[in-house]
Amino acid sequence: MVQTKEATATEITVRRVAGRIGADVSGIDLSAELDDATVSAIRRELLVHRVLFFRDQDIDHAQHIAFGRHFGDLTRRPGKQHGIAPEGFPEVLSVDRNAEHERYGKDYEERFRRKWVSALAGWHSDLTPAVNPPSMSILRAEKTPPYGGDTQWTNMVAAYEGLSKPLRDFVDTLRAEHAFFTAVNLLHTDPEDREILKMYCDLPQVAIHPVVRVHPETGERALFVSPGSTTRIMGLSQVESRRVLDLLFEHLTSAEYTVRFRWEPGSIAFWDNRSTCHFAPTDFAHYDNERVMHRVTILGDVPVGVDGSVSELVSGEPMAAW
Ligand SMILES: [Fe+2]
């Protein structure tokens, strides 16, 4: 829960950005030691605005980790460690297109994008194939392209509240399966796809979550499905499931619930995965540039639905703390 303390050494200024989500936070230096009152204030603002944006923060990996630890334990990814971590900082996941090209080949990402089953396929909440997905993520930009590469977030509480009452009542009762590579049409007839399918069949990471989760800190109801990770609604036929999910995906990505952030070196976005989805950019892949980002994620709870039922682990391991 949010703690309140009297005096705060830091007077932060919070300015809303979009109509329903996002706020710029200024008047704070994240390289300095933060007092409890400031940490509480940031947490409180995060719960209100869902995603907070900080600019011109000159912090290194250790300071990034220290900032994250104010909000909980940092997550260790389940199963085989994916991604690239900076030397000596396994808690950090680095996103570096050029390093990925070296490791996986030049057109790795582009190849998957061409297999997306819809234009919304990139929207996701972090690591929902785990039974206890991270509560929060903190992404820091080190190098940014001169143009393109913005990230978008959507407010899943507002999207839930924007549904009509009969539909809210219906989705309140549903549960859905989450897995990696959901929105990529991998074909068993394609030899390269077969390698990836084999890897995901050997090491599946699958969880079933409520379609509407109750936020553990605010008690709000939020949609908890995303085009990038939700495979199907349990108990419905494939056709029914597809239609209901498509309706929800179109709705939750409506522009009115979203905010878009332009990155610069030293920018930080801090978001609540329990009440948002985000969309990784794809509009800078067509030209040479450098974009290096670093992320830490905060260990989350097992989601709870409207009726009090909790998520189930189907396959794989829960996320653990570092
Ligand atoms: Fe993400």
Side-chain angles (χ1 to χ4, degrees), residues 124-127 137 271 273 278 280 295:
H124 67 282
S125 174
D126 285 332
L127 299 163
S137 298
W271 67 91
N273 282 304
H278 55 280
R295 189 186 81 183

Side-chain angles (χ1 to χ4, degrees), residues 17-32:
V17 180
R20 286 198 169 92
I21 180 171
D24 285 328
V25 179
S26 55
I28 188 166
D29 175 2
L30 298 181
S31 70

